[in-house]
Amino acid sequence: MTAAQRQTRATSADELCREAYAASCGPVTGVALVAVGGYGRGELAPHSDLDVVLVHDDDVPLGDLGHTLWYPLWDSGRRLDHSVRSMSEMVEAAADLRVALGLLDARHLAGDPGLSLRLRTTMLADWRRQARTRLPDLKALTRKRHEVTGELAHASVPDVKEAEGGLRDAGVLRAIEASWLVDASTPALEAARVMLLDVRDEVQELAGRPSDRIAPEMWGPLAERLDLADAEAAQRHVRSLGRRIGHLSRLAWRRTDAVMDRTTGEKGRRTPALERIAPGIALSRGEVVLDAGTKPADDPTLLLRAAAEAASRDAVLAPSTAARLVRECTELPVPWPAPARDALVRLLASGPGLLPVWETLDEIGGIDTFLPEWEQIRLLPHASTIHRFTVDRHVVETCAEAGSLIRGVRRPDLLLVAALLHDIGKGSLHDHSVAGEPLARKVVTRMGFTDLDAEVVASLVRWHLLLATLATTRDPDDPATTAELLTHVPDGASLELLRALTEADARATSSAAWTSWRESLIDRLVTRAGAALGAEVSHVVALETVPVPDVVRRESGAVSVEITPHEVGATVTVIAADRVGLLADVAGGLAALRVPVKAARAWAQVDSEGEWGVSAWEVPDAYLDPAVVRDRIRRVAEGTQRLPSPPARGVDELPPIVEVRPAASRQSLVLEIRTSDRPGVVHLVLTTLADLGLTVASAHVSTLGPQAVDVFYVQEVGGVRPTEERAATAAHAVRGALEG
C-alpha cells in the first residue's frame, strides 16, 4: 500500500459523493458537502469510513436533502459516518475536542465551495484563538488514551492508530502545529506518519476489516507485505515508527507547556535568554543548548555532559543541539576522561528525566557515539511475555529503577553502569548473561573504570539473575543455597550491588516480577549471605583518616587563594586563619559564584605563624579569577554577600541519610552524609554545623554520579570531641537542613 493508492481510494470516494450530491439536486450556494478527519486529508485506508458533513447556512432550509443524499452512498456499500449541521451548529459542535480536531482537516466535496472555505477558516481561527485553553484539555485526553492503549513501541498487541506514538498522536501534533504556538511538524514526523499509514493499510487488508491492532500472528505476513526480512524485522520497523512519533509528541508537548508557562517578560524577547549551567552548556526556555561561543570540536565530552544536565534538570535536550554535537564532537578517547564517565553516571541516575533525553540521543544517533553495542538490543522484542517493554526500553527503565536505590550501595556508579549493561548480551545466539559478561567488561574498561571495577560490573552482568533464581527455586535458609550464592559474590559490597540490581531489573520487567513475597525471599537469602561474609549489607562505608599534604602559604593577607587548572577543571586551594565557620564561608563564596563543587578536602595545618585552615576544592571551571573568589569569601564572612537560596529537595528526590560513625575516630565526631548532588549542599551543611558552634577538623566531599558522599570530622572549639548528645543534635540539625 502506498500514498498513491490511498489517494486513489479518496478520489474514487470523492466522485461517489459528488455524484450523490448532484443526483439529490443539492444547491450550489448556501450548502456544501465536506469531508473531515482522515477522509478530509485524503488518507483512506482499505476499510475506512467516509466521514462527511452536510453543512448549510443558518437561513438555508435543506428539506429532505440529507435523506436523499445518504441513500446512494449507503447503497454503494461504503461505510458512512455522516451528520447534517448549520454553520452555527458546527461552531457549537466544535466544543467537543474530537469534533474540533476532525474539522481542522475539512475539505470541500460538493456544493458551495465558498461555504466550505468559510467553515475551514472559521474552525482554524477558533482553534487558534482558544488554543491556550483547549490544548491542556487535549493533552489530558491524549494522556487518558495512552493509559488505555499503551505504547506502540512496546505493547504486545499494538494499535497503530490509538496507541502512544500511533497515527492519532501524529494527528494531535498537526493540531498543535495549527495552534501557531509551537512548530510541531518536522520531516521526520511526516516520514514516520506516512510509513505508519502504509502499515495500517496492510493490517486492515490482513484483518479484512477496519482493525488497527497487530495480533502476534500477523507479524510474519506483515513482514512479507512490507518486504521485510522476517517477523522480528517487521516488529522493529513498526515499533521504531511508534517510538519516533511518541518521542516527537512528548517533545512537542514539553515545548507547548513551556510556551504557555512562559513569563510575561520572556514573551517579548526577540532572542531566547541563555542561562549558563555548566562549561559550554546553557538553558534556554526549558531546553539545554550550547552556550554562546562553544565549539563542540574542542570537547569530546560535551554530548554526554549536555545530556546529563538535561536529564538531571528534567529539561529537554534540544534535538538540534544534540544533532550538532553528534556531527561535530570528536570521538571520545579511550579510556574516557573522567568528565565523560561522571556525566554518563549522572545521566543514568536522573530518574524521570532519563527516558526523554535517552530517546533524543537514540533518535539522532547519539548513543552509537559512546555505546555502539546498543544497536544489538535496539527495539529488540523480549522472548518472554512477562516483559512489558522491548529490551532497550527495559534497560532504560532498569536504570531509572536503580537510580532510586543508589542510597543503599557503596558504589552507585557501578550499580548504574551494571543496570545499563545487564541485558547487553541479548540478541546473540547464547545465554544473554554469558554473552553479556565479556561485552560489559569491554565497555566498562573503555569508559575508564579500573580493572577491578570492570570485573565487578562484568560479574554483575553474568550473575544478575542468580539471586532471584536461588531465592525463588531453592530454600533461602539452606546453607547450601547461601554457599552457592557466595561462590559468585565475594564481598559485602558486591552483595549490595547484586541485591539492588535484582530489584531494579524485576521492577522494570513488570509488577508481577517484584512482589512482597519475592522480596522477602531475596532479603532472607541476602541477610544469610551477609552474615556468612561477616559484613552487614548497608550503605555505611568504613573511612580512615588520610594524611594531608603540606601546603605552603603563598600570599599575605587574611585569605590566600590559588587556582590550579587541570584537564577536568581546576583545584581551588584556600588558606586562612582557622576559625569556626571558615569552611562555610569558603563554600558560600563558591556558591555565590555558582561554581559546583565536585570534591573537596579540608584540614588544619600548623606552622611558625599559627594555625591555618586549608581547603582544596575540585571544580569543573578552570577559568576562575583568584581575586574574585577571595572577594566573595570575604564578603560572605562579612555578611554582605547575598547567597543563593538553600537547595530545595525535590518531591521525588530520595531523602538524605545522615549517620554518626562513633567508631571512626577517637578525636572527632564523624558525620557521614549521603544526599543528592545539588548546588549549595556543602555550604548548607557547613553553615548548620557552624551555627551550632562546631568546627570541622577535616572534610572529605566527593560526588559519585548524582549522589554526594560527604564525611565531616567535627570537633568542639578547642579540639574536643562532641558528646553523644551534641552528636545527635548535630546529625538532627543537618538532616533537617537537607530536608528543607
Side-chain angles (χ1 to χ4, degrees), residues 33-101:
L33 182 64
V34 296
V36 297
Y39 181 27
R41 294 189 298 272
E43 295 173 345
L44 285 179
H47 296 278
S48 290
D49 293 349
L50 299 185
D51 198 351
V52 294
V53 179
L54 185 63
V55 61
H56 61 94
D57 281 325
D58 291 7
D59 57 352
V60 175
L62 287 184
D64 60 354
L65 175 61
H67 295 289
T68 58
L69 174 61
W70 307 139
Y71 279 111
L73 297 179
W74 287 327
D75 291 342
S76 70
R78 303 299 297 262
R79 295 168 55 91
L80 190 64
D81 187 350
H82 62 89
S83 61
V84 179
R85 290 192 177 99
S86 66
M87 273 294 292
S88 58
E89 289 173 336
M90 292 296 286
V91 173
E92 292 176 5
D96 185 311
L97 271 174
R98 295 177 179 85
V99 174
L101 294 176

Side-chain angles (χ1 to χ4, degrees), residues 264-391:
T264 303
E266 181 70 10
K267 290 177 185 177
R269 294 184 62 96
R270 289 184 175 272
T271 58
L274 289 177
E275 175 192 352
R276 185 175 185 270
I277 56 176
I281 302 170
L283 193 66
S284 174
R285 294 179 177 174
E287 299 193 14
V288 170
V289 297
L290 295 182
D291 200 3
T294 301
K295 298 180 180 178
D298 295 340
D299 185 355
T301 72
L302 202 51
L303 176 64
L304 277 172
R305 291 198 298 109
E309 290 293 340
S312 61
R313 297 168 184 271
D314 197 14
V316 172
L317 176 61
S320 58
T321 296
R324 181 186 172 194
L325 290 172
V326 170
R327 289 194 311 269
E328 299 183 18
C329 279
T330 55
E331 289 186 11
L332 282 165
V334 178
W336 289 8
R341 189 167 57 252
D342 294 343
L344 176 65
V345 173
R346 284 184 61 214
L347 170 64
L348 297 177
S350 51
L354 171 61
L355 179 59
V357 172
W358 194 267
E359 285 184 338
T360 297
L361 291 173
D362 210 355
E363 284 297 312
I364 52 91
I367 296 177
D368 296 338
T369 65
F370 60 86
L371 187 61
E373 294 82 1
W374 188 256
E375 179 60 32
Q376 182 168 302
I377 62 172
R378 180 180 280 114
L379 290 171
L380 179 67
H382 264 112
S384 171
T385 57
I386 193 174
H387 280 274
R388 53 181 171 151
F389 297 119
T390 52
V391 176

